[in-house]
Amino acid sequence: MIPIHQRQDTIAQVFQKRFGRLPQFWCRAPGRVDLMGSHTDYNLGAVLTLPIGRDTWIAARANHTRTVNLHSLNLNADASFSLDSSNKNAGQSWIDYVHGVAEALHEEGMLLEGFDGVIHSTVPLCSGLSSSAALECAAATVFETLGGWNLAPLQKALLCQRAENRYVGVNCGILDQFTSCMGREGCALILDCRDLSSKAVAIADGIGIVICDTKSKRELAGSEYGERRTQCEDGARMLGASALREVTLPQFEARAHELPAIVAKRCRFILEEHARVYALADALTTGDRAAIRELTAASFEGAANLYEIAAPAMHAMMTAMLAARGVIGARQAGAGFGGCMVAFVEEPMVDAFSADVRTRYASATGIEPEIYQVTAAAGAGMI
Ligand code: ADP
Ligand code: MG
């Protein structure tokens, strides 16, 4: 990781060069990784989620106009939009994530001011760690600071989700924005997507959390994601429920034969995965290694065979992670189809684990993975 001051200096220099002055203030919002609960969020189930130290920063300065001018260091790209026009081409460009936040805030009656900004993220883009939500939540915090009003973190999360749903055109659940806004330093959260309540989960000392990025592009993620959502909605309807969350496993078992086979597989995964969220939270708190291993293995097996979201690179990574020194358990992360995975590792063994995974995965796939430990970071705010 880049030291904070070096990161700040680099961003400030780019800001000075691009806008001729130094930034006035800085906002940040974290990425996140799901420790358990793939695809449970839009089924109104639970997710065990961790806000991570990888985050998105926006260095900003009021420009006293109605225009927002942005430079993304990650993409080495500039873009602007007017606060007085709605986005006619939503879903085409990275700026839509920020423009969408402005539109959602405006709709809510918030006073908006133009600014110049430089964006820099240490969340890998498009890898399942929610760089999109980190960008939205950091942008909402910039607008909040400039406007002089205050949003409750949950309201901010909901508006950022609305921005992505309505103004970017991605039908995501609340998980990413919730975690990025509501994160607390030092603990994971169980988010209950039915009532948006959450509970802090302590992780036993000695258990490290390591992200293993397959560096494999998530090409099918968009269309497959929509298809899974529809299949779950169909399943819920056929079972007479408004969402899969309202169905218990015994109720499902009794009627599974009535469902088309593929819908039944999808439903089974969601219901089992939801139950694993609470079980893994307990196992992480008590440090029950055997349970962590079992639950994460079952989660990946379900992701591969029932929900069918495991790309070949993910199988290769799973093999590498499970063979590495110090591993406790490992599974997919994000929506699947490539991207990042997550491992629980004996803390003193994290370096050995990382070295082993790197060697094995690279020799199996020819792809150099990225591997790093993460810890729980605070939610969106000013730096
Ligand atoms: P994820 O949220 O898992 O990283 P998404 O596909 O949901 O993947 O969002 C990634 C998109 O968000 C990028 O393609 C880009 O449009 C936008 N984005 C995220 N972070 C940045 C950034 N730092 N600079 C510019 N665009 C960004
Ligand atoms: Mg995203």
Side-chain angles (χ1 to χ4, degrees):
M1 283 296 270
I2 325 158
I4 287 189
H5 288 293
Q6 193 182 321
R7 186 175 174 194
Q8 210 152 12
D9 286 349
T10 308
I11 300 172
Q13 277 170 27
V14 172
F15 195 103
Q16 170 87 48
K17 215 168 135 200
R18 174 78 180 71
F19 299 112
R21 293 200 284 176
L22 284 171
Q24 254 171 344
F25 65 96
W26 304 67
C27 296
R28 63 165 283 284
R32 64 109 197 95
V33 63
D34 48 297
L35 303 181
M36 187 60 79
S38 293
H39 294 261
T40 48
D41 68 337
Y42 54 78
N43 289 295
L44 305 190
V47 192
L48 181 60
T49 179
L50 186 82
I52 59 176
R54 297 236 164 184
D55 55 10
T56 297
W57 288 10
I58 302 180
R61 182 172 197 107
N63 62 17
H64 310 291
T65 72
R66 300 293 298 156
T67 305
V68 173
N69 303 305
L70 289 169
H71 176 80
S72 165
L73 269 161
N74 299 86
L75 300 179
N76 188 25
D78 295 301
S80 297
F81 66 88
S82 161
L83 291 170
D84 298 320
S85 71
S86 73
N87 191 351
K88 298 281 183 295
N89 299 309
Q92 311 287 309
S93 159
W94 61 273
I95 191 83
D96 299 344
Y97 290 88
V98 181
H99 196 167
V101 167
E103 295 202 66
L105 291 170
H106 173 74
E107 210 172 62
E108 204 60 20
M110 303 303 185
L111 208 69
L112 301 179
E113 310 243 359
F115 71 95
D116 298 335
V118 170
I119 302 164
H120 178 256
S121 188
T122 53
V123 186
L125 272 57
C126 311
S127 299
L129 301 186
S130 294
S131 70
S132 61
L135 176 55
E136 291 151 9
C137 299
T141 308
V142 171
F143 283 119
E144 186 179 29
T145 307
L146 284 168
W149 33 264
N150 255 309
L151 281 178
L154 180 58
Q155 197 190 357
K156 192 188 287 184
L158 286 165
L159 288 170
C160 289
Q161 182 200 13
R162 190 199 290 173
E164 187 155 340
N165 290 165
R166 207 177 280 178
Y167 299 110
V168 182
V170 177
N171 197 13
C172 59
I174 185 64
L175 169 66
D176 300 354
Q177 293 81 5
F178 184 96
T179 314
S180 191
C181 289
M182 303 288 286
R184 282 215 249 148
E185 208 166 333
C187 52
L189 296 169
I190 290 188
L191 162 62
D192 185 330
C193 297
R194 179 164 61 184
D195 60 10
L196 300 185
S197 61
S198 62
K199 187 172 158 261
V201 174
I203 296 176
D205 285 342
I207 298 179
I209 298 172
V210 179
I211 303 285
C212 297
D213 190 340
T214 63
K215 291 279 180 175
S216 152
K217 276 261 163 291
R218 297 179 309 160
E219 265 149 26
L220 291 169
S223 56
E224 295 278 339
Y225 180 90
E227 193 183 281
R228 295 300 180 284
R229 274 194 84 138
T230 307
Q231 289 164 337
C232 290
E233 283 159 17
D234 289 349
R237 191 167 7 86
M238 291 172 199
L239 293 166
S242 53
L244 280 181
R245 168 60 182 278
E246 310 303 339
V247 181
T248 64
L249 255 170
Q251 285 168 347
F252 166 74
E253 299 292 2
R255 297 188 53 194
H257 63 278
E258 298 169 24
L259 304 178
I262 195 156
V263 172
K265 287 205 299 188
R266 307 300 192 236
C267 294
R268 178 181 300 283
F269 174 73
I270 295 299
L271 296 176
E272 291 176 351
E273 184 79 351
H274 170 74
R276 280 190 289 264
V277 166
Y278 297 96
L280 185 70
D282 287 345
L284 285 173
T285 301
T286 57
D288 182 344
R289 269 67 173 168
I292 295 170
R293 187 174 184 90
E294 228 167 80
L295 290 161
T296 49
S299 178
F300 184 72
E301 201 199 304
N305 300 325
L306 296 175
Y307 221 63
E308 299 180 273
I309 54 172
M314 292 167 65
H315 283 280
M317 184 59 88
M318 194 68 186
T319 306
M321 294 189 291
L322 290 180
R325 283 171 288 169
V327 68
I328 300 169
R331 65 183 285 281
Q332 70 283 0
F337 305 104
C340 289
M341 301 184 74
V342 60
F344 299 97
V345 179
E346 298 296 353
E347 182 101 50
M349 302 290 284
V350 165
D351 289 344
F353 170 87
S354 306
D356 288 355
V357 173
R358 212 166 265 128
T359 315
R360 274 177 186 269
Y361 181 77
S363 77
T365 61
I367 304 170
E368 208 52 58
E370 207 180 327
I371 298 169
Y372 42 89
Q373 188 174 4
V374 289
T375 51
M382 286 187 78
I383 297 174

